[in-house]
Amino acid sequence: MLGDDEVLKAVQSHIESRGKPLAGPLPGASAITWHSLLKGQIVRSIESRSEKKRLHRGPLDLSDRPVYDTLGDHRVPPPRDPAKPYSRKLVRRGSIDDRLCACGNGVVRCRRCEGEGTIRCAPRQRCHSCRDTTCCLLCGGDGRSALKPAGKQAGPPAHTAADTADRGRCMECGEPGVACVTCRGRGRVTCPTCQGEGSKPCPDCAQDGTVTHTHCAGTGRTVEWTEGVITRTPSTEEVRLPESGPLSWARKLADQHAAWTPTTLADDDPERARVEKDFGATLQPLLRTHDQEIARRTELAYVRFAKVAVHEHAHRIYYVFPTHGRPTVVGRPSPKRLWQIAGIAALVIVLLTLVNGLLA
């Protein structure tokens, strides 16, 4: 762990290595502030248990599944790796009901045709070829013309060429050129499915009279049982402390230059006390046990670094990070220097604007 003396020595060496000798030693001519960063993730294993009735159509061997009496009391070893999903199916003791189906052989009588293999069909159907649904322009399909008074034979009415196109002789009234050529004025045609027989094959059973039994899916056997399912789902929570603030720039530098110290925050972790001291109030909610959590893995990394302001170099801020060897020092413009640069840039823009205006 870095100390004040080691930090000041590293900063002084850094400044002098760049050809900027100091008037005297840094102590008393500098200010040190210490900061801490924490990053990583917490992986939790969240367990859920459910129970429901199951039905399998056909034979099924359940002998390889664990048996339980009360699902909530069934013990399962904790996961070795909380990040690995886990699911296990169990069978409640005494719940297996393996039996032959009531259908006997997997088939039942067809309800649509009542086992006959055929269903009723209309021998004759409405003709779909009649123009404007009028099978005969003269008699309408009943063999009698409204233009023929009783006891008299009147001539056919005058029709246009469009009316009589594709028209034939009516088989009801005998008039040529007025009837639908498909039904010949009758308005109905023989059913193409049953050919006028009045019955057709049942589409459900294909004339067999029987269909597959839905309950057993044609197997003639069913297995029912109560199934318990234990599922463990990993949940990962990212840790980044502090979550926001002025250390965002320093965090980038720490990721590049610092040697982060791994910590699990276990009871025997030497870094636990310091981490809890630095982030106690913010860290506690992250470490709180979640609902249905049965295991966790904490993978965190911690770094404590120094921020040094040197009076002789007020325009610079020096960040000192611990490494596996000598500390690493990174210099950056101070906030005051950044404001000066921003002010100069703004002034240049204003002057350029005025010059362009004068030249225009």
Side-chain angles (χ1 to χ4, degrees):
M1 189 67 63
L2 289 177
D4 288 3
D5 292 341
E6 190 177 4
V7 166
L8 294 176
K9 182 178 178 181
V11 172
Q12 184 167 351
S13 177
H14 174 82
I15 294 174
E16 291 177 346
S17 67
R18 281 156 176 73
K20 301 175 182 179
L22 296 169
L26 287 183
S30 61
I32 302 176
T33 55
W34 289 95
H35 302 276
S36 298
L37 299 173
L38 190 68
K39 67 178 180 179
Q41 60 184 14
I42 301 174
V43 183
R44 294 177 171 86
S45 180
I46 307 299
E47 183 180 274
S48 62
R49 301 190 177 202
S50 62
E51 189 178 57
K52 63 180 178 180
K53 285 283 190 180
R54 294 296 304 273
L55 167 66
H56 178 79
R57 296 170 174 85
L60 179 65
D61 184 9
L62 297 171
S63 61
D64 61 333
R65 298 193 184 183
V67 178
Y68 69 94
D69 294 302
T70 303
L71 187 60
D73 296 335
H74 186 78
R75 296 183 61 83
V76 181
R80 294 183 178 179
D81 183 3
K84 186 177 181 179
Y86 170 91
S87 181
R88 190 68 183 270
K89 296 179 179 179
L90 308 92
V91 177
R92 193 174 73 185
R93 192 185 308 276
S95 68
I96 299 177
D97 184 8
D98 187 345
R99 66 172 62 189
L100 294 176
C101 184
C103 67
N105 60 354
V107 296
V108 292
R109 182 182 180 185
C110 178
R111 292 185 178 181
R112 186 165 186 176
C113 68
E114 298 295 333
E116 295 296 328
T118 59
I119 58 176
R120 294 176 61 84
C121 181
R124 297 178 65 79
Q125 299 178 353
R126 179 177 174 273
C127 176
H128 296 287
S129 300
C130 296
R131 181 181 301 155
D132 297 328
T133 70
T134 303
C135 57
C136 177
L137 297 177
L138 185 63
C139 70
D142 59 5
R144 295 175 298 172
S145 173
L147 301 177
K148 296 180 180 180
K152 296 183 179 181
Q153 295 292 328
H159 300 294
T160 65
D163 290 336
T164 58
D166 299 328
R167 292 277 178 168
R169 180 182 296 277
C170 178
M171 299 300 293
E172 300 296 327
C173 66
E175 187 68 27
V178 294
C180 169
V181 295
T182 300
C183 64
R184 304 299 293 275
R186 295 187 179 94
R188 306 185 74 80
V189 294
T190 301
C191 174
T193 302
C194 69
Q195 300 298 321
E197 295 294 330
S199 64
K200 60 182 179 180
C202 176
D204 290 352
C205 66
Q207 288 188 286
D208 186 58
T210 60
V211 294
T212 299
H213 190 203
T214 303
H215 182 66
C216 68
T219 64
R221 190 172 182 174
T222 60
V223 180
E224 295 183 71
W225 73 100
T226 299
E227 180 179 78
V229 181
I230 300 177
T231 302
R232 291 172 175 173
T233 305
S235 174
T236 302
E237 185 173 10
E238 296 295 329
V239 177
R240 184 183 175 89
L241 298 178
E243 296 179 351
S244 60
L247 293 181
S248 58
W249 177 254
R251 181 181 292 275
K252 295 179 181 178
L253 296 178
D255 287 335
Q256 298 173 8
H257 304 286
W260 294 71
T261 302
T263 175
T264 61
L265 299 183
D267 293 339
D268 58 349
D269 188 342
E271 298 294 333
R272 177 174 179 175
R274 182 174 292 277
V275 172
E276 290 183 344
K277 178 182 178 181
D278 291 344
F279 303 103
T282 310
L283 189 60
Q284 285 305 316
L286 297 175
L287 299 179
R288 188 177 297 122
T289 301
H290 286 200
D291 185 34
Q292 298 180 305
E293 176 186 334
I294 60 169
R296 75 169 61 175
R297 185 178 70 218
T298 304
E299 299 176 337
L300 301 175
Y302 167 82
V303 65
R304 185 170 181 263
F305 67 95
K307 182 179 178 183
V308 182
V310 179
H311 300 336
E312 292 185 35
H313 297 273
H315 61 286
R316 303 288 286 178
I317 292 292
Y318 297 95
Y319 297 92
V320 185
F321 299 101
T323 65
H324 297 297
R326 297 175 58 185
T328 297
V329 180
V330 182
R332 286 291 182 269
S334 65
K336 181 179 179 180
R337 185 63 171 172
L338 291 175
W339 279 110
Q340 289 175 347
I341 295 173
I344 293 172
L347 180 60
V348 170
I349 292 174
V350 171
L351 292 175
L352 289 175
T353 303
L354 292 175
V355 170
N356 289 333
L358 294 174
L359 293 176

